[in-house]
């Protein structure tokens, strides 16, 4: 039954007939013709940005629990959704703002073992290696941290005792997995705080990092039909092709949906973005590899606590922002030092360039990935603000000495890195239609994401055909979607050969620093030489600055006061935007474009520690940072 509101004005009753006579009968039709009058009606595109962490370890991961982490998945969820908790070292901790979504990714190999190692289960103590680790972990502190590193090294080199490497079929394995699934379901609150069932597949080829985080779109009704895939034969494999086959089988059997996110190519010693198949004696990669990798790995982790992975200064010497939180000492366990020829197979930008080259050879681009940011915390806590950083491991939770530890050493005893290089990063930002598993996962699959090194700036990036004043529109998203494709998309070949336009906009984190600049990074394959090329264009910036003849922009300045520490937003700009057209576009050349948004300088976590603990940092310790965001690329492929 329909109901009607009958108004009364100044004591007079107005009949429905009288009202009808005042409204032309075709008025509604005119209003609804074409676009509705309300710019917010009938929007089918994503209008909300959500921030989360896609890579979190708790005490259930052996290298975390063995090193002193006691926080379990439910503790992690409580912190991430905004509650105050007690850290692994007894300190009170809370986030300034809750996260929107969260993915706990404890290691699949050895799942359930660390609990038995710590408790001294009979099967563990009966094994010589198990007894040694039990005794070392029981000492706590630095001894436990070093034992956790040794456990990782033994696993990486294939010398871990099978007794410690629990696999599917072990009762503890399934019990722990079931509890991980149950905790994710317990804390999943659609529309408020979304949790995902996930695990880390920890492939280490003699120490070379090929890790992937495996994320399920599904709830327990599907995810509980399987146990996580491992890297240990006969139950698992270290070869990514076998992981992808497992994922395909999962979807076929359950009707579910799953994706994988690789991370830390900077610790792979060149194996993350290979040109040949390292698991087939260096045979050429084939189209099947390219198709599978593009299908199952839609995102790549560009930044995290173990270094920033966008670019390297040796690969991009003209990029003044390439040397940022750089980790380039060697592979994960520091058994093999880094050499320059390894670098192109390790970084997001060089990986994207290799993808263009392989796409031209194979007909499919295997490295067509979007941008993801995460922490890889092993404390169970996502603390990416520089003044609230609780470190990578429990030993690096706030204390006066945490910036002066030896991180790892090479086999000859030389220091590989010190603990001050750990980075307070990062987060993934997702443009989605709602805060649910389905909406966020689908946005990740279409690569409508960007990575940040911690701050929650808002960034839009579109490619297509735009008027020069489009950036001034307050309905910028509607203009962006109607005129082209968003970050993660593919540009159509222009009918007239004209260069595509790019619409980019960034708004600073409400609690953070002003923006220095927006840059568009282009990579392409030269049609004459067949070589990979890159160029960085400054397209928007704050302050009264002018590009020089080479397109370089003067520094924005620096307001950081290390004695407090603090900075002031008296330089830069709170928002920036531009419509930019590629002046060097060649319709015959495949290319990608992504936006990089750089903040003004701010104090790094080491600066806050220096003041809080009244310690003097070594001269080579970075005290100032320039946080940033990286959008997923937009690709152009000639027809």
């Amino acid at each position: 039954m329909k109901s009607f509101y009958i108004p009364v004005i100044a004591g007079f009753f107005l009949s429905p007939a009288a009202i009808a006579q005042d409204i032309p009968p075709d008025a509604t039709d005119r209003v609804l013709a074409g676009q509705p009058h309300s710019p917010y009606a009938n929007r089918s595109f994503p209008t909300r940005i959500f921030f989360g962490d896609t890579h979190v370890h708790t005490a259930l991961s052996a290298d975390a629990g063995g090193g002193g982490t006691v926080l379990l998945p439910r503790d992690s969820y409580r912190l991430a959704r905004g509650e105050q908790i007690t850290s692994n070292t007894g300190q009170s901790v809370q986030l300034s703002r809750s996260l929107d979504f969260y993915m706990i990714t404890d290691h699949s190999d050895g799942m359930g073992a660390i609990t038995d190692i710590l408790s001294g289960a009979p099967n563990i103590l009966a094994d010589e290696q198990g007894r040694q680790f039990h005794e070392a972990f029981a000492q706590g502190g630095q001894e436990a941290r070093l034992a956790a590193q040794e456990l990782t090294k033994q696993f990486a080199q294939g010398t871990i005792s099978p007794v410690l490497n629990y696999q599917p079929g072990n009762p503890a394995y399934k019990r722990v997995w079931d509890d991980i699934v149950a905790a994710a379901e317990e804390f999943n609150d659609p529309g408020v705080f979304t949790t995902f069932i996930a695990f880390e597949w920890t492939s280490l080829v003699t120490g070379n990092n090929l890790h992937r985080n495996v994320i399920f779109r599904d709830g327990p009704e599907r995810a509980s039909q399987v146990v996580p895939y491992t890297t240990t034969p006969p139950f698992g494999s270290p070869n990514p092709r076998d992981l992808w086959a497992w994922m395909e089988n999962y979807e076929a059997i359950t009707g579910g949906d799953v994706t994988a996110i690789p991370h830390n190519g900077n610790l792979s010693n060149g194996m993350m973005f290979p040109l040949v198949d390292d698991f087939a004696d260096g045979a050429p990669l084939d189209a099947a590899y390219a198709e599978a990798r593009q299908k199952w790995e839609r995102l790549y982790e560009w930044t995290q606590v173990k270094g920033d992975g966008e670019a390297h200064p040796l690969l991009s010497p003209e990029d003044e922002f390439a040397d940022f939180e750089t980790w380039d000492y060697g592979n994960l366990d520091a058994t093999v030092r880094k050499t320059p020829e390894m670098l192109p197979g390790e970084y997001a930008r060089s990986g994207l360039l290799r993808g263009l080259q392989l796409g031209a050879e194979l007909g499919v681009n295997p490295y067509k990935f979007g941008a993801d940011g995460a922490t890889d915390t092993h404390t169970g806590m996502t603390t990416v603000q520089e003044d609230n950083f609780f470190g990578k491991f429990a030993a690096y939770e706030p204390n006066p000495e945490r910036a002066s530890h030896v991180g790892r050493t090479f086999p000859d005893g030389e220091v590989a890195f010190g603990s001050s290089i750990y980075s307070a990063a990062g987060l993934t930002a997702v443009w989605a239609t709602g805060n649910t598993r389905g909406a966020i996962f689908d946005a990740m699959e279409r690569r409508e994401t960007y990575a940040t090194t911690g701050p929650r700036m808002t960034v839009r990036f579109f490619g297509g055909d735009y008027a020069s004043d489009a950036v001034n529109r307050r309905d910028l998203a509607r203009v962006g979607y109607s005129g082209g494709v968003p970050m993660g998309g593919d540009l159509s070949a222009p009918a007239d050969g004209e260069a595509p336009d790019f619409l980019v906009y960034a708004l600073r984190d409400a609690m953070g620093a002003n923006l220095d600049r927006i840059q568009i990074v282009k990579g392409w394959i030269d049609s004459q030489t067949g070589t990979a090329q890159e160029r960085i264009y400054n397209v928007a910036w704050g302050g009264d600055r002018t590009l020089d003849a080479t397109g370089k922009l003067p520094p924005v300045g620096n307001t950081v006061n290390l004695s407090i520490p603090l900075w002031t937003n008296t330089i830069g700009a709170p928002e920036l935007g531009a419509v930019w057209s590629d002046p060097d576009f060649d319709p015959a050349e495949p290319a990608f474009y992504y936006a990089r948004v750089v903040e003004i300088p701010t104090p790094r976590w080491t600066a806050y520690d220096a003041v809080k603990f009244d310690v003097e940092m070594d001269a080579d310790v970075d005290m100032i940072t320039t946080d940033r965001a990286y959008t997923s690329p937009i690709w152009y492929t000639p027809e």
Side-chain angles (χ1 to χ4, degrees), residues 2 157 272:
K2 293 183 178 179
Q157 298 301 318
M272 182 58 73

Side-chain angles (χ1 to χ4, degrees), residues 48 113 119-120 196 254 291 317 433 595:
R48 299 179 63 188
S119 66
F196 288 80
T254 68
E291 291 169 356
T433 55

Side-chain angles (χ1 to χ4, degrees), residues 30-41:
R30 290 204 307 270
V31 168
L32 295 179
Q35 292 290 335
H37 174 75
S38 172
Y40 314 110

Side-chain angles (χ1 to χ4, degrees), residues 583-594:
D584 305 303
F585 180 71
D586 184 335
E589 296 175 338
F592 64 79
Y593 304 82
Y594 66 86

Side-chain angles (χ1 to χ4, degrees), residues 493-542:
D496 52 9
E498 290 188 1
D501 301 317
F502 292 91
L503 171 60
V504 61
Y505 170 83
L507 176 68
R508 81 170 210 207
D509 183 335
M511 296 178 61
N514 271 354
L515 307 178
D516 169 3
R517 66 188 73 190
I518 299 176
Q519 300 173 308
I520 291 181
V521 180
K522 177 188 178 183
W524 75 98
I525 303 300
D526 187 278
S527 59
Q528 301 299 316
T529 65
T531 57
Q533 305 289 328
E534 65 175 68
R535 187 167 298 161
I536 299 167
Y537 302 87
N538 292 292
V539 301
W541 54 90

Side-chain angles (χ1 to χ4, degrees), residues 349-418:
R349 189 185 301 169
S350 54
L352 291 166
L353 286 168
R354 283 189 165 187
L356 294 180
Q357 292 175 306
L358 289 169
E361 296 172 13
L362 303 174
V364 183
N365 180 347
Y367 308 138
K368 195 173 184 180
F369 53 82
D372 172 276
T375 60
D376 192 13
T377 177
H378 279 57
T379 64
M381 299 182 292
T382 296
T383 52
V384 296
Q385 287 186 223
E386 304 288 341
D387 63 352
N388 195 36
F389 182 49
F390 271 66
K392 162 76 171 177
F393 296 104
Y396 299 139
E397 290 188 10
N399 69 77
E401 292 83 30
R402 67 168 174 165
S404 57
H405 292 174
V406 173
R408 280 192 184 273
T409 58
F410 292 116
D412 61 7
E414 183 181 347
V415 174
F417 70 90

Side-chain angles (χ1 to χ4, degrees), residues 170-215:
N170 185 301
Y173 194 101
K174 182 67 162 59
R175 183 174 64 250
V176 169
W177 173 243
D178 287 345
D179 193 55
I180 289 173
V181 171
E185 193 66 11
E186 179 183 334
F187 280 82
N188 188 45
D189 187 6
V192 179
F193 179 67
T194 298
T195 61
F196 288 80
I197 299 166
F199 66 88
E200 179 175 313
W201 177 78
T202 314
S203 176
L204 279 167
V205 182
T206 59
N208 296 339
N209 184 95
L210 294 178
H211 300 183
R212 269 84 169 165
N213 291 316
V214 179
I215 314 296

